[in-house]
Each structure stands twice: as C-alpha cells, then as structure tokens.
Amino acid sequence: MIEGAKIVMATPAMDTVQSRFYIDAMRLAQRMTYVAMKGGPGFSVMMTQHSILSHKRQHLVERALEDGWATHILWIDSDMGFEDQNIALRLLGHDKDIVACACPTKTVPNQSTAVMQKSECEFTPVNPFEHTGLVQVDFVGMGIMLTSIDVFKKIPSPWFET
C-alpha cells in the first residue's frame, strides 16, 4: 500500500448514469470510507457533466489539481459496472503511475480495451483470461484506471484531445 495515498474517484458523465455504476460506486465509497477510518488511503468522489468526454476528463483533472488533496485519480466511467469493492486498493497496490483494467468494449464481439501493437498497422487486444497480474500494453481505455496525480503535473495541459 502506498503510504499517505489519497484517491479521488473521478467520473465523467452525461445527464444520467447507469444504475449498475451507481450501485457499484456507492459500495466502493462505503468500502473506502471504512478503509480510511482504519488508517488506509483517503477517498473522495467527484463527477462532472459535459457533452464532450475529453472536456469532462480535463475538467476533473483541473479540479483535482486545484483542490491539491489527491495523490491519485481513480477514473471510473459512468457506464462501467465493477463488483470488486477493493478495485481502488488493488490498483493502488501495483504502485504504478498508470494502471488500468482490461475492460470489454461495448461492441459485439466484445474485445479488451487493452491492446498491444504488433506492427505499425496491426493491433491485438489482450485477452484478460490469458493473463494474471500486470501486463504491459501499448494502449488501454480509461473505463477503470488509476493515475498518479504527478502524471498530470509532469505533462503540460491539455491532457485530453477532442
């Protein structure tokens, strides 16, 4: 566990959120509140609404930096379901600046959002059932991702392109 970690769950949303996300997010918040009371990482939640995803993500990072509290941003998109109430702790436990879950795409057939680049024009989705633990990939979606706040301090804004 990273000593002194403070995680803010950042969710970009449209007008509504999926009920599955809401239930899982509330369970995560309950779990993390309990963990914080027992001396574990601090936890807070922030959400923003906008029609353009890159603007939402940009705004969330700006708010986290202005607040100055968080050491990490836990990105969870409002259309994601996740039953693991320890997802924040598991991702934090890897002690990486950027670590993400290999979430399924919304298209059929479902593929992983974690991708390895084989050549300039060839990409292969990572099958999460073939791997345990961390796998280094070339691209990954932000559906469920933990980033160190330091990543955004090192890279000039804007961090997300339209």
Side-chain angles (χ1 to χ4, degrees), residues 42-114:
F43 189 77
S44 69
V45 176
M46 68 178 164
M47 183 179 277
T48 190
Q49 291 179 300
H50 197 285
S51 59
I52 301 172
L53 181 60
S54 59
H55 291 180
K56 292 182 240 188
R57 291 197 195 286
Q58 182 75 25
H59 180 70
L60 289 165
V61 172
E62 289 168 354
R63 283 177 50 195
L65 287 170
E66 285 173 18
D67 184 48
W69 178 81
T71 60
H72 294 80
I73 300 176
L74 175 63
W75 300 96
I76 302 183
D77 287 354
S78 63
D79 60 352
M80 297 303 299
F82 54 99
E83 293 182 7
D84 186 355
Q85 296 172 15
N86 290 313
I87 191 72
L89 298 173
R90 288 181 48 211
L91 292 174
L92 185 66
H94 291 298
D95 196 17
K96 300 289 181 187
D97 286 339
I98 301 172
V99 62
C101 296
C103 301
T105 61
K106 304 260 185 287
T107 57
V108 177
N110 294 117
Q111 295 184 5
S112 172
T113 57

Side-chain angles (χ1 to χ4, degrees), residues 11 15 33 40 65 77 81 104 149 154:
T11 300
D15 292 336
T33 299
L65 287 170
D77 287 354
I149 198 77
K154 293 175 185 175

Side-chain angles (χ1 to χ4, degrees), residues 5-45:
K6 296 175 185 144
I7 302 168
V8 61
M9 185 178 91
T11 300
M14 294 293 284
D15 292 336
T16 60
V17 298
Q18 302 281 330
S19 60
R20 174 67 186 263
F21 164 81
Y22 178 79
I23 292 166
D24 292 342
M26 292 303 101
R27 288 181 179 152
L28 172 62
Q30 279 183 312
R31 171 73 177 137
M32 292 304 295
T33 299
Y34 174 79
V35 168
M37 289 187 328
K38 296 291 186 183
F43 189 77
S44 69
V45 176

Side-chain angles (χ1 to χ4, degrees), residues 92-145:
L92 185 66
H94 291 298
D95 196 17
K96 300 289 181 187
D97 286 339
I98 301 172
V99 62
C101 296
C103 301
T105 61
K106 304 260 185 287
T107 57
V108 177
N110 294 117
Q111 295 184 5
S112 172
T113 57
V115 177
M116 291 185 187
Q117 186 170 2
K118 297 289 186 180
S119 67
E120 188 174 320
C121 300
E122 185 182 358
F123 303 91
T124 304
V126 173
N127 182 341
F129 300 109
E130 292 177 2
H131 301 278
T132 58
L134 291 180
V135 176
Q136 185 171 344
V137 297
D138 297 300
F139 308 97
V140 66
M142 290 184 69
I144 301 176
M145 174 184 280

